[in-house]
Amino acid sequence: MAKPLVAFYWCASCGGCEESVVDLAEDLLKVVDAVEFRLFPVAMDFKYSDVEALPDKALAVSFINGAIRTEEQEHIAKLLRQKSQLIVAYGACAHLGGIPGLANVANRKEVFETAYKNTASTVNPKGIYPQTVTETEYGKLTLPEIYDTVQTLDQTIDVDYYLPGCAPPPDLIMNAINAILEGKLPPKGSVLTSEKALCETCERNKTKPDKLAIKDIKRISEVKADPEKCFLAEGIICMGPATRGGCGERCINANMPCRGCFGPTKEVKDMGARFLSGLASIIDVDDEAEMEKIAQSVIDPIGLFYMYSLPSSIINRKQGV
Amino acid sequence: MRVLTCNCHGLIKFPELDLGPDVKIEQYDNLCKLKLDIGADETVVIAGCSPNLLEGIFPNANAEFVNLLEHITLVNHSPEKAEQLIVAAVAKMQNTPPVKTKVFNIKSKNALVIGGGIAGIEVATQLSKNGLPVVLIEKTPFLGGTVSKLDRLYPEGTPYSHTLMPLINKLQTSGNVTQFFNTEITDVTGRVGDYKIKLKAKPRGVVECINCANCIDVCPVEVNDAGKKRKAIYYIPTFPDMYAIDFDTCTKCGECVKVCPGKIDLEQKAQESDIDSGAIVVATGLNWYDVSKVEEYGYARLEGVMKTLEFERAVASGALYPKKVAIVYCAGSRDSKHLPYCSKICCLLGLKEAKLVKDRFPDAEVYVIAMDMRSYGTYEYLYNTLRDKGVSFIKGKPSEIHRRNGILVVKTEDLFTNELLEVEVDTVVLNSGFVADTITFDKFNIKLNGDFPVLFENAGLGNYELPRGIFTAGAATFPGSVSETLIDARKASYSALSLLRQDKIETRIPQAVVDEDLCSVCRMCIGTCPYNAISVVDDKIKINEELCMGCGICAITCPSYASQLEGWNHSGLYEQIRALVKEGDVLAIMCRWSAYNATEQAAHDKLKYPENVKIIRVPCTGAVDPSHVMLALRNGARGVLIGGCYPDACHYARGNFRAKAREQILRLNLEALGMRKDRVRLEWIGKDEAQKFADIVYEMNK
């Protein structure tokens, strides 16, 4: 029997999702045995024209990581949708927008100014920014357009499944691949991990007092966190209660609070607003002035509450820019 | 789904409505006069006049009310807006499952009354007279409680026997009352209508008795019982008419057995029994505040410094002949280090003790040292009487009491004369406040406000919609005079009686429900519940149906929407706001108890406010979801106004504070997203503050 054809593509991402494939270790050999790649830019030399040449739906599955922020990414995502039976949004950036999605607190102009001019390490006296078309003596050079607003994969194309995480952990990747190979897939639209928030499996949940009440909000960088105790109970912001579990508590085990890379549970449309609501609710202060003071101690609310999910949230970008 | 519209006798002009094939529109012109049947599983939209009125007519309907009269007709807003409000209400109810009916069967008609003081006696008598079987339990060997320890009652100084004896006699002849003495509750399970209670009766020691009193002649153990001497075997002339042994002090020497062979059993065993009961009245009374904690007053350190009860009993029994007495008021009361509250009756107790001295020893000098004299109501006569009798009143709070050359010296300021005084006396009476006897409160989940139950646990204010079948009576509710205590006991009797007369209670009040498939047991909700209704049972979050009042605070706390308030689930409100809010609107999310009423009042005050102000009604500001605010803004809302009750006046205790904290952090979020933070405002708007409402929405429209 012919092996199923697979694409593994990257959009606006860091390359960590590619690393996660390597993290499969010995299991990677099983995967390579079971499937045949048709696009895998980081590892194999296929051309876009190879994919274009395939009949529609010829690919069994395309794993697409990264957010969508360029013309090229949008084009290839749409091409892969056309050529694939299944699309899996692979990793937090494709799923929710991810870290690149934080660019939505600015626009393209501001991003260019920062990246190509204002940073201390940049030398650009002529103030040259990327252009979609540049005339040179050798002819016309083109670059894909970079968009003002970073999008999630499912804001660009129809997505069948989501493999969450920054990056997805090996066990969830193997579960997903096995489910696809065996045709034992959950309902379309499922996020291929736990339906419950991280606290369910977090060891530290046991140390949480029944009545969670905090009088101040601390940043993890300011305190020495007790490696046994629930972060939230100590006043350290931990997105665990608002974030799907299944990650293996990798951050928690490294004594770092959860920052939400697995995204919200299924009913939640705005992860940041939902967590913010819960966090505010456990502030045990009735004095308005005091409350305002505590609220003000939340530094960088977008970076905290929407670290991975800004493009997927109800208001997905900064307004007025 | 049905949309019931009422044009209020032609007053309301309706738009032409087309809500699609799934929605049936019924038009009426006087819905309030019709007894329309709305099914328990049906969800409807009712568009007409005020929901405050229509809810009374359709109390069990799963309905979203659209107030066309006050939000459209009387404020001259357009039929298009009316249509938008109805469409949004339909969107909400199409995504809102019906509220579950909760049934509480009243399986047991027994009433359990805890406490054999005057309140418990009165409740037991009233219930028994009305045909209910009653179990009355008392932790001591005798009925009578605090009153049986007193010499006299204020204001006149009548002996307690005037009051207590008739009450006890009525109880004994009232019918079906089973009495347990020396008895405590060891376990309580069950719920309203079906409580199972385990009782444990400690031994009385005396098995049979003819009250010959020979035993006290031989008992070698002398006990000081709050200022009055007695033996370890003793009798209080209330009920039952037999002696008892105080095993806390008895040495089991056996002398009493020798004079009364066969009728006293020093090795008697405790007896356990199980009872069932449909309703419980907690009449466990009060305790004096432990005044030794007020160290500067020297109680237990200085001889001659006494508590009111000790003083009263010592004077009455002839053990004390004071010549100069200082009665120190508020000893440990209205004091942040001790009891922060006023116990209400102690001012009168102090006057009673002053009168006791003056009645018995007219030449004795009496100084009453008080910050304030709260002789409320007609008790002012008692105060005036004592002034006439020559009692000296000093306005002040003593700083210290010490002994000098054998004399007690009370150091105090006198705020009338602005002098520092040293009052020299032989006896000091520390007039302290009271705390409830909380011995059973935990077992019955009675919440405290300070040292007494919060007011809505009070018998007279019991939650009839969702009764727990637990009522407090008498001084367990709050200290009162004998007559006030009896009145409170009657209230509790009425509440228990009206509950037990029913065979079952059905309620449809919305409550929080938890979806176990979504709940991670993160426990963030538990502490936010104002009613302690949330707990972890078998590693799952459990909402206690008897305690949940339906505020929705936990639902908005839950980061997974695992907890949802029936009738107000997140997806229903999401769809309502999505359908309702258009570019440039101001969305007003109003608390049903306060701000919503102000929006109605605006119509009757003939106030004008802009057409683009869209009002929706929620149970509490604490049930307003920041996500929904974000949604309104995404839809183009110019602003979102959340209106609720003033601080401390929240119907659900602390919902508005939760809302305030969420608003504060949400505003930071808005600023970070490039929006003006005042596009979201949480405002306190009282029910009559229509002008304030109008002013705010005008401001938000600028």
Side-chain angles (χ1 to χ4, degrees), chain B residues 21 342 437 486 586 634 678:
Chain B
C342 164
D437 187 332
L486 292 175
V586 171
R634 191 192 71 186
D678 61 4

Side-chain angles (χ1 to χ4, degrees), chain A residues 197 241-242 265 267-268 270-271 273-279 281-282, chain B residues 513-515 518-526 528 534 541 552-565 570 622 625-627 662:
Chain A
T265 49
E267 294 283 320
V268 177
D270 191 308
M271 184 179 192
R274 199 85 293 276
F275 178 76
L276 166 169
S277 187
L279 176 71
S281 305
I282 60 168
Chain B
V513 285
V514 174
D515 181 347
L518 285 175
C519 176
S520 70
V521 201
C522 76
R523 311 205 286 284
M524 284 178 91
C525 55
I526 294 178
T528 68
I534 312 177
I541 291 287
I553 295 170
C554 62
I556 303 307
T557 300
C558 177
S560 289
Y561 287 133
S563 170
Q564 289 288 293
L565 177 61
H570 73 94
D625 187 343
S627 312
R662 294 169 188 152

Side-chain angles (χ1 to χ4, degrees), chain B residues 83-94:
Chain B
E83 184 177 352
Q84 289 171 15
L85 291 173
I86 295 171
V87 167
V90 168
K92 176 188 170 185
M93 293 317 288
Q94 282 175 334

Side-chain angles (χ1 to χ4, degrees), chain B residues 13-27:
Chain B
K13 299 280 174 283
F14 269 100
E16 278 299 311
L17 287 171
D18 179 10
L19 301 168
D22 299 336
V23 181
K24 188 171 162 232
I25 300 164
E26 296 176 11
Q27 297 199 2

